[in-house]
Amino acid sequence: EAQVTQNPRYLITVTGKKLTVTCSQNMNHEYMSWYRQDPGLGLRQIYYSMNVEVTDKGDVPEGYKVSRKEKRNFPLILESPSPNQTSLYFCASSLWRLGGSYEQYFGPGTRLTVT
Amino acid sequence: AQTVTQSQPEMSVQEAETVTLSCTYDTSESDYYLFWYKQPPSRQMILVIRQEAYKQQNATENRFSVNFQKAAKSFSLKISDSQLGDAAMYFCAYRSRRTNAGKSTFGDGTTLTVKP
């Protein structure tokens, strides 16, 4: 089954404790992206990757890191989480080649709470 | 930078009636995609419909159709014969087709309530 998986689905942590949210897709998509969703603010893009070893900042990258060492995986790293990073996080992937439809396939979301 | 505006934070519709959700966007590009995504209470993001900017014909998917006005930069979603399962938050989204353009922009969403 074609899908984007994220782990963990729920996480409660404390300020300053490094954490990683994993994202994996099995559709051989070139493009992957991370978003955060906060009430009234829609989805805001954190980072994206056009392909392996190619990443770039979205609109709200501060406090986050990413890496793309393999095509299927795109982990989101919070080196020192703070309470303002409490949010619902989505990973997404899509084709990024000529003729592609460019629609994004989303993971189920990760609910992160930083106390 | 591209922006996407959904001016209706909340909408409601009677079951079996028709409702239109508004979306406007701002871009200097000519080649792009527009999307509507649905987010039900489960929080899963589901693609509803897609429109390529170079196509003049409005996209249709069963009960869902769009009114794409490129010159006006407007992309509204019409839901016909509304069903209780249509109740969700709907997001309008923009993606450039430029090969080096990775940014994707979403509106703030419209919460749709369907009344039985």
Side-chain angles (χ1 to χ4, degrees):
Chain A
E1 178 189 358
Q3 61 182 350
V4 179
T5 57
Q6 293 179 229
N7 282 293
R9 294 288 310 280
Y10 301 90
L11 179 60
I12 300 174
T13 189
V14 296
T15 299
K17 186 177 181 182
K18 181 179 178 180
L19 66 92
T20 299
V21 183
T22 65
C23 174
S24 184
Q25 51 93 5
N26 62 1
M27 295 169 278
N28 200 34
H29 285 168
E30 296 85 5
Y31 179 94
M32 297 185 75
S33 183
W34 276 102
Y35 300 88
R36 61 177 288 173
Q37 182 180 10
D38 302 291
L41 294 177
L43 274 74
R44 292 181 293 169
Q45 194 172 32
I46 303 171
Y47 270 96
Y48 61 90
S49 171
M50 309 290 279
N51 215 322
V52 175
E53 302 291 1
V54 181
T55 63
D56 207 347
K57 297 176 181 178
D59 294 319
V60 289
E62 293 77 21
Y64 304 95
K65 284 178 57 178
V66 294
S67 67
R68 187 95 180 271
K69 293 182 170 56
E70 303 167 286
K71 196 172 187 178
R72 64 182 293 128
N73 296 323
F74 191 46
L76 179 69
I77 303 159
L78 284 72
E79 294 265 359
S80 183
S82 62
N84 64 13
Q85 292 178 299
T86 292
S87 188
L88 177 62
Y89 290 87
F90 285 99
C91 180
S93 72
S94 76
L95 288 170
W96 196 256
R97 64 181 84 121
L98 196 63
S101 63
Y102 301 97
E103 70 199 63
Q104 293 185 73
Y105 294 80
F106 285 83
T110 294
R111 173 73 69 184
L112 172 65
T113 302
V114 184
T115 61
Chain B
Q2 292 80 24
T3 59
V4 176
T5 302
Q6 294 179 247
S7 59
Q8 307 152 316
E10 297 178 349
M11 291 283 285
S12 67
V13 63
Q14 208 70 34
E15 196 176 5
E17 299 284 301
T18 296
V19 64
T20 298
L21 308 184
S22 300
C23 173
T24 58
Y25 59 95
D26 188 27
T27 183
S28 58
E29 299 177 334
S30 60
D31 197 9
Y32 49 86
Y33 279 100
L34 296 165
F35 304 89
W36 279 98
Y37 288 91
K38 171 185 178 181
Q39 187 181 46
S42 67
R43 296 296 190 182
Q44 181 66 49
M45 294 287 287
I46 303 164
L47 178 70
V48 175
I49 201 163
R50 167 182 63 241
Q51 175 79 43
E52 292 93 334
Y54 65 87
K55 289 187 177 179
Q56 293 188 340
Q57 185 174 5
N58 289 326
T60 299
E61 289 287 343
N62 300 313
R63 297 182 296 107
F64 299 87
S65 61
V66 298
N67 183 4
F68 173 49
Q69 303 288 329
K70 191 172 183 179
K73 295 178 183 174
S74 171
F75 182 59
S76 61
L77 174 69
K78 185 171 83 170
I79 306 174
S80 304
D81 186 24
S82 296
Q83 301 175 357
L84 295 177
D86 294 334
M89 180 167 280
Y90 288 81
F91 291 97
C92 179
Y94 172 101
R95 288 196 79 179
S96 171
R97 286 194 72 194
R98 286 186 295 112
T99 54
N100 64 345
K103 284 197 173 181
S104 182
T105 306
F106 286 74
D108 291 344
T110 297
T111 300
L112 177 66
T113 302
V114 181
K115 299 177 181 178

